[in-house]
Amino acid sequence: MDDLMTVVDWSRWQFALTAIYHWLFVPLTLGLSLIVAVMESLYLKTKSGKWLAATKFWMTLFGINFAIGVATGLILEFEFGTNWSNYSWFVGDIFGAPLAIEGLVAFFMEATFVAVMFFGWGKVSPRFHLASTWLTWLGASISALWILVANAWMQYPVGMQFDPAQMRNVMDNFWALFSGIAVNKYMHAVFSGWALSGVFVIGVSCWLLMKKRNQPFALRSIKVGGWIGLVGLLLTMWTGDGSAVEVTKHQPMKLAAMEGLYHGSTSQSIVAAGIVNPHKTWDNDEDEYLFDIAIPYGLSILAKHDPSAFVPGIADIVNGVDINENGDTVNTVSYQERIRLGKLSHEALRAYDIARASHDEDAMAKAADDLKAYYPYFGYGYFDSVDEAIPPVAVTFYAFRVMVILGSYFLLFFIVALFAAYRKDWLQRHKWLQWIAIVSVPFMWLCSEAGWMVAEVGRQPWTVQDLLPTKAAISEISSASVITTFWMFAVIFTVLLVAEVSIMLKQINKNSQKNLEIDNAH
Amino acid sequence: MSASISSYARKIWLLYYDGFREMTIGKTLWVIILVKLFIFFIVIKFLFFPDILSRDYDNDNERADHVRHELIDNPRRFHSPEKQ
């Protein structure tokens, strides 16, 4: 029989691979659709063929990305049904509603408005066409809402009751799904798409400047992409701050892992850059970092918006120690206790099952009450030691720094790009700036993917926070089939990525040779 | 009334018909989309990614019983991986 952990690990790798590839396409769809809509609005306002040409140029690239990326997310749903069938059943009632809405919204919005956007030039009124372009942007953004709400629920499961008879969670408050975690996660993801698309537009435009093709068009595009990217990035930072506060409240272990913090303190500093000690564990006395540059009070401000606040480290959380806002040491539930309570919840579920089989209503009610009391710790019952409940610290720590450092770099990037675009001939004369803009494009994707790594690696070992660890969520399948499909996906997605990049490059090269200063695009 | 509906339907039909007919890069993209959907739904989904609970069990009660067994009785779920 396969080692269960081999199946778990390969299934996690497979899910990560699929999600990473899917997320290569999604943020560009979210942001480029907005940039196109703004350009078309400018066309309608000015009636200038220059804006029409710009709209069509970027709309073509949006279409390529949309066509190659569409349906790549479906693979994730296939994996739910095959690799993660226990999870699918356990959360089905919660997850099903948002995903069904997403499917319907995506289908109707895309089939209708994307078609009008591409086929409707000269066939529908300019205002109706513009409305379709904006609705394409809105549809893509709404489509992202539901999957991110579902993801947020896994990080902070609320609005449901566990039904032991159905052996699944049943939604009892739909609106609870829109928690602070969900709202911040959604906005953070969507705004980061604006920033990513801004970098993409600036990078492509700088390539045109380098080739001395359609330079006024390139500068116009840099201005629109730069402003949308800058606004997107500032909003991404704002919602990132909101996410940090929510994570502190609901996933303190993830925050501690992001920081590589084992023993917290009041007025806790944040590590701006550093190397975590790979030998450090929650129960030894090794140093946390081999090297670190700390910013005083930084983590207390980030986590609780209070420079003197206490932020617990991994060992504090494991031991159930916290300090409240009055400075008093308080006890939370230690991980050892959570494991004990989790095992009691499993016993209560077994007792419920036996009572149900013998139609003993009183015993069923008693077991159901016990289960309800212990259920918040249900997932911990699968662990033998607290080590199993701690996420991979190094990956989370470094991914967080990659995201933040690159995010800060792109703030400077947008400011410089906009400054340069508004100075006469500045960008055209400074070729090194054009090079930096072009080389920066893949780093924006790296920044975006690093954000997801923080979110998803930092919440390990949970598929559903505190309730279902990955080793319970996985199906009884063979590791051979998972390994086979992992490599199959690796090949398919790489082919799609190569197709996307090559078609885009070809199209950028071809369309940039047209005169984009007059309305000659078809 | 019916004439205006028919005229409206004809306009929608022509929008899609002309749109597909006049595509340039779009034709390549549609080929990619169709090949991709074929691989996803016919090859991958059909051959490699069955919905296990729908395939192996006839009704929700059986599915719930299976998951119950998996989550509280299967000893493999409670086995801890060895420390690295």
Side-chain angles (χ1 to χ4, degrees), chain A residues 22-102:
Chain A
H22 182 52
W23 191 251
L24 292 175
F25 305 109
V26 175
L28 192 59
T29 298
L30 293 172
L32 207 49
S33 56
L34 175 64
I35 289 172
V36 168
V38 168
M39 286 181 171
E40 191 177 341
S41 301
L42 289 167
Y43 160 61
L44 218 66
K45 186 166 184 284
T46 62
K47 306 287 182 207
S48 163
K50 294 171 185 174
W51 282 117
L52 179 61
T55 303
K56 289 187 174 179
F57 180 92
W58 295 109
M59 192 180 278
T60 302
L61 301 187
F62 165 82
I64 294 167
N65 181 66
F66 183 83
I68 308 265
V70 74
T72 50
L74 280 175
I75 302 291
L76 297 169
E77 293 188 37
F78 296 170
E79 289 168 22
F80 287 144
T82 303
N83 301 42
W84 306 98
S85 61
N86 290 345
Y87 157 84
S88 295
W89 183 262
F90 191 74
V91 305
D93 189 54
I94 313 290
F95 230 65
L99 289 183
I101 294 170
E102 190 214 345

Side-chain angles (χ1 to χ4, degrees), chain A residues 332-350 369-383 462 466-467, chain B residues 78:
Chain A
T332 58
V333 183
S334 74
Y335 270 37
Q336 206 61 56
E337 179 66 0
R338 291 180 196 212
I339 290 172
R340 190 183 73 81
L341 295 173
K343 291 188 187 300
L344 286 177
S345 74
H346 293 188
E347 280 178 25
L349 187 54
R350 286 189 196 97
D369 284 347
D370 288 347
L371 179 59
K372 195 172 181 180
Y374 303 134
Y375 186 67
Y377 308 103
F378 186 84
Y380 291 89
Y382 294 98
F383 302 143
W462 304 109
D466 297 340
L467 300 180
Chain B
F78 301 90

Side-chain angles (χ1 to χ4, degrees), chain A residues 173-416:
Chain A
N173 181 0
F174 174 78
W175 299 108
L177 296 183
F178 297 89
S179 62
I181 289 248
V183 171
N184 277 290
K185 180 180 281 291
Y186 170 68
M187 293 199 298
H188 195 58
V190 169
F191 293 143
S192 74
W194 297 10
L196 180 141
S197 303
V199 173
F200 173 77
V201 167
I202 291 171
V204 172
S205 301
C206 280
W207 183 80
L208 299 189
L209 291 179
M210 192 174 279
K211 293 282 177 187
K212 301 193 188 320
R213 291 181 194 164
N214 289 296
Q215 297 197 17
F217 158 83
L219 287 172
R220 268 197 307 280
S221 297
I222 289 171
K223 286 173 189 169
V224 175
W227 279 115
I228 289 176
L230 179 62
V231 170
L233 190 63
L234 290 171
L235 291 171
T236 304
M237 288 174 163
W238 172 56
T239 51
D241 174 69
S243 287
V245 172
E246 293 294 330
V247 165
T248 306
K249 282 189 220 161
H250 305 300
Q251 296 175 296
M253 182 61 87
K254 182 197 275 187
L255 184 88
M258 283 160 62
E259 193 52 24
L261 180 70
Y262 285 83
H263 298 281
S265 67
T266 51
S267 305
Q268 178 63 51
S269 59
I270 194 168
V271 175
I275 300 172
V276 291
N277 182 351
H279 303 296
K280 176 66 183 165
T281 62
W282 70 275
D283 55 355
N284 72 17
D285 295 327
E286 297 257 357
D287 289 335
E288 291 170 341
Y289 314 103
L290 299 177
F291 155 80
D292 68 293
I293 301 169
I295 301 172
Y297 308 103
L299 193 61
S300 292
I301 294 170
L302 178 78
K304 297 188 175 174
H305 291 176
D306 174 2
S308 61
F310 175 79
V311 181
I314 292 170
D316 303 312
I317 297 164
V318 166
N319 292 321
V321 176
D322 201 350
I323 295 176
N324 68 16
E325 59 274 15
N326 301 322
D328 302 323
T329 301
V330 292
N331 290 322
T332 58
V333 183
S334 74
Y335 270 37
Q336 206 61 56
E337 179 66 0
R338 291 180 196 212
I339 290 172
R340 190 183 73 81
L341 295 173
K343 291 188 187 300
L344 286 177
S345 74
H346 293 188
E347 280 178 25
L349 187 54
R350 286 189 196 97
Y352 179 90
D353 202 28
I354 292 166
R356 194 169 66 111
S358 58
H359 305 289
D360 183 343
E361 298 283 338
D362 291 341
M364 276 171 72
K366 163 82 172 60
D369 284 347
D370 288 347
L371 179 59
K372 195 172 181 180
Y374 303 134
Y375 186 67
Y377 308 103
F378 186 84
Y380 291 89
Y382 294 98
F383 302 143
D384 283 333
S385 79
V386 297
D387 296 311
E388 290 185 71
I390 297 172
V393 173
V395 177
T396 315
F397 176 89
Y398 292 122
F400 182 58
R401 269 136 202 90
V402 167
M403 177 186 74
V404 171
I405 291 169
L406 284 175
S408 305
Y409 162 72
F410 282 111
L411 180 61
L412 184 67
F413 174 93
F414 284 124
I415 292 169
V416 171

Side-chain angles (χ1 to χ4, degrees), chain A residues 1-5 14 60 63-64 67-72 74-75 78-79 81-83 85-86 89-90 111-112 115-116 119-120 123-124 164-168 346 349-350 353 356 381-382 384 387-388 468 471-472 474-477 484-485 488-489 492-493 496 499 503 507, chain B residues 8 11 14-26 28-30 32-33 36-37 39-56 59-84:
Chain A
M1 189 181 272
D2 279 323
D3 172 18
L4 185 73
M5 293 317 290
Q14 187 182 69
T60 302
I64 294 167
I68 308 265
V70 74
T72 50
L74 280 175
I75 302 291
F78 296 170
E79 289 168 22
T82 303
N83 301 42
S85 61
N86 290 345
W89 183 262
F90 191 74
T112 309
V116 175
F119 299 159
K123 292 194 173 66
V124 297
Q166 294 185 56
M167 198 56 205
R168 68 200 313 185
H346 293 188
L349 187 54
R350 286 189 196 97
D353 202 28
R356 194 169 66 111
Y382 294 98
D384 283 333
D387 296 311
E388 290 185 71
L468 197 68
K471 69 174 182 177
I474 199 77
S475 309
E476 282 278 340
I477 52 175
T484 305
T485 48
M488 206 163 72
F489 287 153
I492 291 170
F493 284 126
L496 285 176
I503 293 171
Q507 207 61 29
Chain B
Y8 195 65
K11 278 183 185 166
L14 284 176
L15 175 84
Y16 281 88
Y17 179 77
D18 292 341
F20 280 111
R21 210 162 47 95
E22 292 163 10
M23 279 191 308
T24 50
I25 180 69
T28 310
L29 296 176
W30 269 105
I32 291 173
I33 290 173
K36 185 172 59 175
L37 289 178
I39 292 172
F40 283 3
F41 281 100
I42 307 300
V43 181
I44 292 178
K45 175 70 180 160
F46 188 70
L47 294 180
F48 295 100
F49 282 90
D51 185 320
I52 288 180
L53 295 179
S54 298
R55 183 194 65 186
D56 295 347
N59 56 54
D60 281 355
N61 286 338
E62 288 183 7
R63 290 176 195 121
D65 286 343
H66 167 76
V67 174
R68 183 178 293 108
H69 165 74
E70 282 293 312
L71 291 189
I72 60 174
D73 295 330
N74 185 343
R76 278 162 33 96
R77 305 284 170 195
F78 301 90
H79 169 74
S80 297
E82 285 178 17
K83 273 192 180 180
Q84 298 295 311

